[in-house]
Every structure is written in structure tokens, then in C-alpha cells.
Amino acid sequence: MSEAKKLYIKTYGCQMNVYDSERMAEAMGGAGYVETDSPEDADMILLNTCHIREKAAEKVYSELGRFKGLKEARPDLKIGVAGCVAQAEGEEIMRRQPLVDLVVGPQSYHRLPELEAKARDGAKALDTEFPLDDKFDTLRKRGGKAKRGPTAFLTVQEGCDKFCAFCVVPYTRGAEVSRPVARVLEEARDLVERGVREITLLGQNVNAYHGQGPDGRDWSLAQLIWELDKVDGLERIRFTTSHPNDMDDDLIEAHGTCAKLMPYLHLPVQSGSDRILKRMNRSHTAESYLRLIEKIRAARPDILMSGDFIVGFPEETEQDFQDTLDLIEAVNYGYAYSFKYSTRPGTPAAERDQVDEAVKTDRLHRLQALITRQQRAVQDAMVGREVGVLFEKPGRLPGQMVGKSDYLHAVHVSDSNLQPGQLARVEIVESGANSLAGRLVTATA
Ligand code: SAH
Ligand code: SF4
Ligand code: F3S
């Protein structure tokens, strides 16, 4: 038997890309490839890329340049670009970087083995179609039964119809599509059989999920969560990313009543200024967002809120920015991700009056200082509380295990009897720089 070929995948961007990279590795497994951690001994290098901000896209070109030497030493090495940059500028990549043998968009990577075969024959291979066949189905049939870690992502919804004025996702990922409930359940059960205990349901707008249910009707995300709640062995359910406009009452209620649904919600708002929100085409106001959070907290008072913010969106004034800071003060976030507005060609906001780079930088620093204070306070307030922890791997010190709390904080506990995949009740005793230290109260299976 010939030795397996080696595949090196590097993943950029969001969790959906992480999920996609796993599926691509599985698909290539069917074509005789095993994964490797080092590009030096790979027969194929695949970059799974992100197009969300300018820097993310530029990174791809600089990374590709670094493979020049490898390709010269081994002309047999195949180099591929997948993901959102591939979708947005596939042909340009081929032109700009002759090292690239194949380009595959996020909706067609189930065809990767065929593209690889084409590249092996010496042709350039490009596929950035939005095909009608369900790529997930094709991929599932090829997957093996390998053991998995305790946590996994599961994509249930893809694409976006919202067209925020700054964002490339509707162009790179296409229109909103939801996978049927039966397919999601099948994949969830399979993951649990392989050792997974926590599943994070993924979608660019995951709470707009409307997959076909077993009764032929469209099911909501809340209905899907209740169905997953019945899966024995699945202990925790999370979902990301949500849009404020799709946070329906059933989903809010599930946060109060579904024990497996974790008390953490990523609900990006982008700005606290109604003027800017309107120009962003967000179709919600700061006030409606705050009222929504009140409702969510009424259902689940201890829920930890997380958000995304863009500073320096075109025409953002100091007053608009102050409104954003006020909104952050009002919400009290446990986590938040913040970005300087980045011009994306082809999006409406790219054509408008841009904010000075220095002003953007200053606002980002001020916003991040506020967020850091809040995050810190929320984390410190965990000290003295008892929380659930799902342990994932050994920590840095001997006998130490680390895992995530219900609220997604990293927690480490020193107890040599703990195993990865174990759930435990833990009392938080200390709040460190990036994690909490805990003491075991009770360990379950
Ligand atoms: N679908 C999700 C997330 C999309 S991308 C949502 O609607 O919330 C993740 C984050 O990247 C966004 O929430 C936004 O804060 C940021 N982002 C998107 N486009 C951007 C741009 N052009 N410049 C800066 N940040 C951007
Ligand atoms: Fe982008 Fe807006 Fe869609 Fe989120 S909702 S993916 S920010 S267009
Ligand atoms: Fe980036 Fe595409 Fe995700 S642009 S954030 S990898 S959907």
C-alpha cells in the first residue's frame, strides 16, 4: 500500500470556517490524505480564508508568498485556497499568485477531491459556484467514525440575507439556507457517539434558523434546541451568531427553561447610535436592543451577554461613538469583540465618507478599555460561585485540568482524578488574567 498523502490546513476567520476545515479534512481523507501540522511535509496545503476585513484578506497573500520556497523545492506540492477570499476573488488569486493550483468556495468544497485530482493532472482548478446539491449530505456520507473531543461545532444555517452596509458575508456565503432538522439530529447523535458532550450550533444568523422539520413544516431554532435536548449523552447546547431581530420569544423562553442550553448569548449590536445603525442597515435601534436584553434577562437573569462592535463606521461622529459607550455601560458585557471599520469593496458603506484612521484607532482604544473593565468585573464576580465545568484537556501544571464554565470562562482545577470530557460542579476560588481557578465540589460521569 502506498503511504498516505499529507494535508496541511490553516484556518482563518469565524467558527464556521473551523467547522468547514474539519469537513474538508474528512472529504480529503476519502481521497487518501491524512492531516499534518506542518506545511513542510505536506503534499497539499489548503488555506481556509476569511474576507471580513481588509487585513484578513491581505494575510492570505502574504501567507501564500511564504510557501514559494516549498513549492520550488517540491513542484508536486499542491496549494489551494478555500473559504471567503476564494469566493470573493478566486480568479484574482489565481492571477496574482501563480503558486495556487486550486480555489474552492465555501459552498462547493465537497467537490474538493475532484478539484485535487484535476490539479494533480496539472490543470488549474477553480470552483466558486453555489451548487444545488447539499454539500453537507455529500460530506456526511464520506465521514469516518473517529473519536472526538468533548466539544464540537455543528453548522445548521449558512448565509445571510441581511445585507448590513459594511459586510461581505451575504456575498461570500450566499443567501440564508437552513439544514433540515433530521440531518442536524443525525449529525448531533453521531458526534455524541464519538464522545462529544457539548455542541455549538453555528450559523451566520443562527437564530433565523428555519429548517424543515419531520412534520414537513419549518422549525425554529428553539424547536431544534428542544429536540436536541432529548439526545441522551448531549449535556450542553450553545448557538452563535445571533441577530437581534431574529431573537423570538420561544428562543428567549428556552434560555429560562432548557437546562442544557447554556447561559451565554452572543448578540452583536455593532453601534449604540440609531443614526449609525440606520446607515448600517441594521433594522433595529439601540433602544429595541436594550429592551430585548431586558426580556432575555427576565427569562435567564444570570445570562452572560457578549457582543460585536464596529468603530469608525463612515460618518460616525464623536456623539455617535458616545452613544455606543453608553449602550455598553447599560448592557454590561461579559465578552465583546470590537473592530475598526474596514472598507470592503462592493459593499454600500465603502462608497461613503470615511472616518480618519487616527480617530478610529483612538475610539477603538477607548471602547476596548471600557469593555476590558466590564469583562474583568464580570469574571471577578464569579469568585465564590458554584458553576458547571466541562473539562477539555490537561492544564499547564501537573494534575491540572482545564475546561469551560457554563458562562464560557476558562476554568482550571487541580485534581488528578479528573478526565477530559468530565462534567463537574466547581466552586470558583480565584480570578486570574485569562482564566478562573476552581475547587472541585462534585464530579459527575
Ligand atoms: N453574522 C454575524 C457576524 C458577522 S461577521 C452578525 O451579524 O453579527 C463578525 C463581525 O465582524 C461582525 O459582527 C462585525 O462586528 C465585524 N465586521 C463585519 N464586517 C466588518 C467590516 N467591514 N469592518 C469591520 N468589522 C466588520
Ligand atoms: Fe454580515 Fe449583517 Fe449578515 Fe451579520 S447580519 S453576516 S453583519 S450582513
Ligand atoms: Fe470570515 Fe467568511 Fe466567516 S468572511 S467571518 S470566514 S463567513
Side-chain angles (χ1 to χ4, degrees):
M1 212 181 103
S2 67
E3 209 184 309
K5 285 180 279 187
K6 295 204 175 104
L7 172 67
Y8 170 78
I9 306 189
K10 183 158 179 176
T11 308
Y12 304 84
C14 62
Q15 289 123 322
M16 303 197 64
N17 262 12
V18 175
Y19 177 86
D20 289 350
S21 288
E22 288 168 2
R23 302 291 79 73
M24 287 196 273
E26 279 175 14
M28 292 308 285
Y33 277 85
V34 294
E35 268 194 274
T36 169
D37 306 337
S38 82
E40 286 73 26
D41 61 19
D43 299 281
M44 179 168 167
I45 291 175
L46 200 55
L47 301 183
N48 193 12
T49 62
C50 173
H51 201 239
I52 203 82
R53 284 168 289 274
E54 195 178 351
K55 279 209 181 99
E58 275 312 313
K59 253 193 230 156
V60 178
Y61 289 102
S62 61
E63 186 76 27
L64 284 170
R66 293 190 7 216
F67 298 137
K68 195 160 184 251
L70 285 179
K71 180 97 174 174
E72 275 165 7
R74 286 188 294 121
D76 255 6
L77 169 69
K78 296 297 164 206
I79 297 181
V81 180
C84 292
V85 180
Q87 187 63 45
E89 43 194 68
E91 298 196 3
E92 196 189 327
I93 297 173
M94 289 258 181
R95 261 199 311 276
R96 226 174 112 174
Q97 188 42 276
L99 293 176
V100 174
D101 301 288
L102 74 92
V103 165
V104 60
Q107 304 309 334
S108 31
Y109 60 67
H110 51 301
R111 298 181 179 163
L112 196 53
E114 291 112 85
L115 294 169
E116 188 264 354
K118 196 171 161 193
R120 287 259 156 241
D121 285 344
K124 296 267 175 191
L126 180 134
D127 192 342
T128 49
E129 299 288 306
F130 289 95
L132 290 172
D133 45 328
D134 184 348
K135 76 175 176 198
F136 296 107
D137 265 9
T138 322
L139 289 167
R140 284 275 301 118
K141 284 178 202 125
R142 288 177 181 156
K145 272 281 174 199
K147 207 74 190 131
R148 298 277 308 243
T151 65
F153 293 135
L154 200 175
T155 295
V156 301
Q157 181 274 338
E158 274 212 81
C160 181
D161 297 337
K162 299 255 182 330
F163 291 92
C164 297
F166 49 82
C167 184
V168 293
V169 171
Y171 311 95
T172 61
R173 294 274 175 167
E176 256 179 37
V177 192
S178 298
R179 296 176 67 193
V181 172
R183 298 271 180 279
V184 175
L185 282 172
E186 190 191 344
E187 191 168 331
R189 290 197 191 98
D190 177 67
L191 288 169
V192 170
E193 274 174 35
R194 297 169 189 231
V196 169
R197 311 197 75 190
E198 170 182 308
I199 290 180
T200 302
L201 305 174
L202 298 181
Q204 267 93 16
N205 270 299
V206 74
N207 58 345
Y209 176 85
H210 54 88
Q212 194 190 43
D215 54 4
R217 296 196 195 162
D218 278 2
W219 279 28
S220 67
L221 185 66
Q223 283 175 291
L224 177 68
I225 287 171
W226 281 113
E227 211 53 29
L228 286 164
D229 183 64
K230 295 183 199 153
V231 174
D232 279 342
L234 178 61
E235 306 294 344
R236 286 171 148 192
I237 303 167
R238 303 182 187 275
F239 60 87
T240 198
T241 296
S242 300
H243 192 286
N245 287 10
D246 295 311
M247 213 53 220
D248 64 28
D249 287 346
D250 289 353
L251 188 57
I252 295 175
E253 198 189 308
H255 271 291
T257 49
C258 178
K260 290 185 183 179
L261 187 57
M262 290 293 105
Y264 180 102
L265 182 63
H266 185 60
L267 196 63
V269 62
Q270 315 298 354
S271 167
S273 153
D274 288 345
R275 206 178 69 88
I276 294 297
L277 285 170
K278 200 159 184 193
R279 283 169 163 70
M280 285 177 164
N281 193 29
R282 286 291 294 187
S283 60
H284 56 76
T285 62
E287 183 60 32
S288 69
Y289 179 78
L290 290 173
R291 272 204 309 272
L292 177 62
I293 291 186
E294 265 173 34
K295 231 164 127 181
I296 297 165
R297 283 188 168 143
R300 180 79 204 220
D302 62 337
I303 200 160
L304 192 145
M305 293 304 305
S306 137
D308 287 348
F309 295 91
I310 295 178
V311 300
F313 184 77
E315 300 160 30
E316 184 189 69
T317 62
E318 178 60 24
Q319 184 55 51
D320 293 320
F321 176 65
Q322 275 301 331
D323 291 347
T324 302
L325 295 182
D326 291 347
L327 178 137
I328 295 173
E329 290 279 13
V331 173
N332 194 29
Y333 287 95
Y335 281 103
Y337 305 85
S338 47
F339 315 96
K340 284 196 263 188
Y341 168 72
S342 171
T343 317
R344 306 312 292 127
T347 60
E351 313 296 324
R352 304 187 191 152
D353 282 347
Q354 302 298 317
V355 171
D356 220 51
E357 195 57 31
V359 174
K360 286 191 205 172
T361 306
D362 173 63
R363 288 182 189 163
L364 187 70
H365 287 158
R366 285 154 66 201
L367 187 145
Q368 287 183 339
L370 172 59
I371 290 289
T372 307
R373 268 205 310 281
Q374 285 192 347
Q375 263 176 217
R376 188 75 244 166
V378 170
Q379 191 189 302
D380 291 349
M382 292 286 157
V383 175
R385 287 186 56 184
E386 190 187 303
V387 297
V389 175
L390 175 62
F391 288 99
E392 292 175 25
K393 55 181 188 235
R396 272 185 294 124
L397 303 177
Q400 202 181 54
M401 286 292 290
V402 287
K404 293 277 166 61
S405 79
D406 302 336
Y407 307 96
L408 219 52
H409 286 121
V411 178
H412 55 88
V413 171
S414 287
D415 189 309
S416 47
N417 294 319
L418 284 170
Q419 298 295 324
Q422 216 170 350
L423 262 171
R425 300 295 301 169
V426 169
E427 189 199 332
I428 302 301
V429 294
E430 201 185 318
S431 176
N434 300 306
S435 63
L436 295 164
R439 185 182 61 79
L440 193 64
V441 178
T442 43
T444 45

